[in-house]
Structure formats: C-alpha cells, structure tokens
Amino acid sequence: MSRVKRKRTDDFLLADEPTDIVIITAVSEQPLEAHLVVLLPCCKVVFDLPRASSGKTTWDLSKLVLEGQSSPVSSAVVRQWLDLVYSRVDAGRQPPKFPSLSEAARSLLLFADAVGTSRVVMDALGDALAAQPGLALPVVVNGGGGGGEGGAAGGGGGPLQLELALRGKLYYYLKSYSLHAFDVPTSGKSYVKRMPVHTVVSGEDLEPFKVALPGAVAAALEGWLYLAGRLGLVALVRLLRDFFQAQLISSFLSILRATAAKVFSRRVLECMPHELLVEGFVSDSLWGPQLGQADVATGSKFSLVMNSEHAAAWFRVASGGQVDGDEIEATNVFKKGGGDNRLRVSVGGMTLAEHQAAMQEVLQQLEEEEAA
C-alpha cells in the first residue's frame, strides 16, 4: 500500500506573538514593527540597542542617511531588509528580487551594511542577486542627445540609459553604426550569416554617445565591483568579472575595449575578495601564453571548432560547431565571410582540463589548511 504524504504547512512560529521592536523612519507615518528574536542574530545595531524596560524597544532610523544619498533611508528600503531577514524563518515572507543592479538594489545593500547585517544574511542577499536570471547592469551615457531602442532611452537631449544583461549577451558596437548583441549561447547549428542579432541602440540614436560609451560602461562596472567587493559579495564580484571578460570577446568592437585601468581601479583591487585574487594568481602562474606566443601567418587557411559559447556566438554557430575560415589576410585575424576576430596562439603548456585540475588541487589544499 502506498503511503500518501501529508502536505506540510510551514507556519511561522511567531505569527501570533506580539512584536516588540518599533522602527521609526523619516518618511513613514506608521512605524514598522518586528520581533527582536528574529532581528537579534542578524543585525549588530539591533543587538546593541538598549532594551525598553517595559513596552517596545525603539529603533530610530529617521536620521540615517546612506552613503551617496542626501535624504534619510526610506521605509521601503527598511521593509525590504525586514523581508530579507524574516524570509529565513518565515516561508510567507519573500526576500526582495531585483532585475537590475538598480539604485534600489544599491540602497538595500548599503542599508544592510550600515546596520551590521550578519555575514550569513549578506552572503544570501549577494548570492540571490547574482543568481537572478536576466540581471542587468544600468549604464548612463552622457552625450549630445539622442534616444534609444531595445532597452535604451534618452530622448530630448538627456543621457542614454542602457540595461546591459550581465549574462547571456555578447555586445559589440560599430563606431559609425549601432550597438548590437548576440545571444549566448546561440541557437545556430552551423554557420549562417543571418543568425539573430539584436539591435540595442540604432546608429542614429547612438551617434551622440558612441565616444563616451566604453567609459560609461567601465564606470558602471567599476562602481559595482567596488561595492560588491567591499561588502564581500563574492558571487556578485564573479558575475561582474565574468561580464567584463565576456565582453572582451568582441575584440575590435568591444564595448569595454581599452578600459581595463578604469574598471580595475585602486579601490576595486583593494576591496577584491581574497579568494578571487588567489584564484587569479594561481591561474596566471599555471599558464603564461606570452612565453609560448606564436603568430598565424598571412595566407594560411584553416578551420576552428568553437568550444566556447561566446566564441561560437561571435561566429554564429552552436557551441562545438566548426567554422571554416577564409584565407588569413591580416596576421592573427581569423575571418569567415563578413565576420572576423583576433587570434592569440600559444605553444605548449597544460591542456585546459589539466589547468583546471591543477588549480582545483592548489585551492583545495589551501582550503583544507585554512580549515585545520
């Protein structure tokens, strides 16, 4: 006889218990209320508050101004933080979700940091933010006017506002034409000239902003790398770094071409999570492509199997697809039809699998020693 499982109800144990902390904000007519027992393990500021001998403890946030802002923190931000904390013990409360690294997301992170939110809760917030499907990086590009399409706006002489997907897109722009994006991975099965290409900003609309575009993208990326690194949000730093690396695949047409010094500022490097610095050093030590550098001679003609999703997307084939190149006309530039990209050839060293295995061995050893 099969056993029918009874549907379980996840009741919040404090649902019928009175709240015992009142939270005052500058713009809310009604103060917010919460349970001390929920907040105490998650917030240092609450933990250090003097307790009321009778009645409810008061937490006055009416004069708390977050970094970079001119007015006190809003009740909406505090509510989001309460949802985040309560979601760990109450199935009926959902942590806030952000489709973009917006000012709202920044405000919640800054508030969580300002009130001494516990490491566990901060990590959960950062991980959830980084895992959000379609998470976008807002970019404001100042220029002489114009407008945009496909996620861009800026008519009436104002700035161009973009929402760049942090995963799943490979952007490139033609300085005299438009800002475009390929899907990653592409849906192509073989080389096709007319695979889907998304126009993010048309040429006429991009014209007043094309010179400022790379610097604006770099500035937005630098600001979020700094904040995420300072708050120790490793998953978010990884996502932002991966976005930077991915957009360099566009090579000559990259929206981040020649911006490395702007993205990796002193403050970004000083706040970079230690584990990412270690990973980068070990990876770089295991492979020095400059030591085995070789050039592809002009006049050569060969085929490439695109094992990377980004490289495949650039040449509009599925990952693992083969591209039969045209005769090489310029040293280290692989060309197929109207598409081309730079090649970097290195002789010797480990295979990719050996490289990854060696890295894992070193990092695992370090982790075990630190845990001992």
Side-chain angles (χ1 to χ4, degrees), residues 250-262:
S250 301
S251 194
F252 315 106
L253 308 178
S254 172
I255 59 173
L256 283 166
R257 187 180 182 191
T259 62
K262 294 179 181 178

Side-chain angles (χ1 to χ4, degrees), residues 65-70 103 106 110 113-114 226-227 230 267:
V65 179
L66 298 178
E67 177 184 323
Q69 301 184 9
S70 57
E103 282 305 311
R106 184 189 298 273
L110 289 173
D113 181 52
Y226 165 64
L227 180 60
R230 195 183 86 191
R267 67 175 188 167

Side-chain angles (χ1 to χ4, degrees), residues 141-148 153-161 201-210 212:
V141 191
N142 293 309
L160 176 68
Q161 299 181 40
V201 187
S202 64
E204 181 181 352
D205 293 330
L206 184 63
E207 177 63 30
F209 305 99
K210 63 185 182 183

Side-chain angles (χ1 to χ4, degrees), residues 22 47 64 73 85 90 111 173 175 185 189 217 236 255 262 277 283 294 296 311 314 323 344 370:
V22 175
F47 187 86
L64 176 62
V73 63
V85 173
D90 181 3
F111 177 76
Y173 82 113
K175 293 183 180 178
K189 295 182 180 179
V217 178
L236 186 55
I255 59 173
K262 294 179 181 178
L277 292 175
S283 180
V296 178
W314 184 260
V323 178
R344 288 184 66 185
E370 289 179 345

Side-chain angles (χ1 to χ4, degrees), residues 48-132:
D48 292 338
L49 280 176
R51 306 287 185 270
S53 56
S54 62
K56 299 181 178 183
T57 297
T58 299
W59 187 13
D60 189 354
L61 296 172
S62 61
K63 294 181 175 58
L64 176 62
V65 179
L66 298 178
E67 177 184 323
Q69 301 184 9
S70 57
S71 56
V73 63
S74 70
S75 59
V77 172
V78 181
R79 284 194 190 95
Q80 288 179 329
W81 181 82
L82 288 172
D83 285 338
L84 171 67
V85 173
Y86 268 82
S87 68
R88 303 184 65 79
V89 293
D90 181 3
R93 301 277 286 266
Q94 296 298 314
K97 294 182 179 179
F98 300 95
S100 169
L101 294 179
S102 58
E103 282 305 311
R106 184 189 298 273
S107 293
L108 177 57
L109 288 171
L110 289 173
F111 177 76
D113 181 52
V115 299
T117 302
S118 69
R119 185 73 263 162
V120 171
V121 176
M122 287 295 290
D123 286 344
L125 175 57
D127 291 350
L129 191 58
Q132 182 70 22

Side-chain angles (χ1 to χ4, degrees), residues 37-310:
V37 70
V38 175
L39 305 191
L40 283 173
C42 303
C43 179
K44 187 177 188 308
V45 170
V46 171
F47 187 86
D48 292 338
L49 280 176
R51 306 287 185 270
S53 56
S54 62
K56 299 181 178 183
T57 297
T58 299
W59 187 13
D60 189 354
L61 296 172
S62 61
K63 294 181 175 58
L64 176 62
V65 179
L66 298 178
E67 177 184 323
Q69 301 184 9
S70 57
S71 56
V73 63
S74 70
S75 59
V77 172
V78 181
R79 284 194 190 95
Q80 288 179 329
W81 181 82
L82 288 172
D83 285 338
L84 171 67
V85 173
Y86 268 82
S87 68
R88 303 184 65 79
V89 293
D90 181 3
R93 301 277 286 266
Q94 296 298 314
K97 294 182 179 179
F98 300 95
S100 169
L101 294 179
S102 58
E103 282 305 311
R106 184 189 298 273
S107 293
L108 177 57
L109 288 171
L110 289 173
F111 177 76
D113 181 52
V115 299
T117 302
S118 69
R119 185 73 263 162
V120 171
V121 176
M122 287 295 290
D123 286 344
L125 175 57
D127 291 350
L129 191 58
Q132 182 70 22
L135 186 67
L137 175 71
V139 176
V140 178
V141 191
N142 293 309
E149 302 174 358
L160 176 68
Q161 299 181 40
L162 301 171
E163 292 280 337
L164 302 180
L166 286 171
R167 54 168 70 88
K169 296 290 184 210
L170 182 55
Y171 294 97
Y172 67 98
Y173 82 113
L174 306 173
K175 293 183 180 178
S176 57
Y177 297 102
S178 310
L179 175 63
H180 302 286
F182 290 126
D183 290 329
V184 180
T186 181
S187 58
K189 295 182 180 179
S190 59
Y191 180 81
V192 180
K193 289 184 179 180
R194 298 190 180 276
M195 289 303 298
V197 176
H198 306 283
T199 299
V200 182
V201 187
S202 64
E204 181 181 352
D205 293 330
L206 184 63
E207 177 63 30
F209 305 99
K210 63 185 182 183
V211 174
L213 178 62
V217 178
L221 191 56
E222 189 273 346
W224 271 98
L225 275 169
Y226 165 64
L227 180 60
R230 195 183 86 191
L231 301 185
L233 306 179
V234 177
L236 186 55
V237 175
R238 285 187 193 277
L239 178 61
L240 294 165
R241 179 206 59 188
D242 291 349
F243 172 79
F244 176 80
Q245 289 181 325
Q247 299 316 312
L248 294 182
I249 296 294
S250 301
S251 194
F252 315 106
L253 308 178
S254 172
I255 59 173
L256 283 166
R257 187 180 182 191
T259 62
K262 294 179 181 178
V263 172
F264 297 107
S265 63
R266 171 177 287 276
R267 67 175 188 167
V268 165
L269 296 177
E270 287 178 344
C271 293
M272 187 65 59
H274 176 71
E275 63 192 89
L276 296 186
L277 292 175
V278 171
E279 288 176 12
F281 177 78
V282 173
S283 180
D284 190 58
S285 299
L286 292 172
W287 187 51
Q290 69 281 0
L291 299 178
Q293 180 181 347
D295 293 328
V296 178
T298 57
S300 305
K301 188 175 182 180
F302 52 88
S303 301
L304 294 177
V305 177
M306 301 298 176
N307 290 321
S308 154
E309 289 183 341
H310 289 84

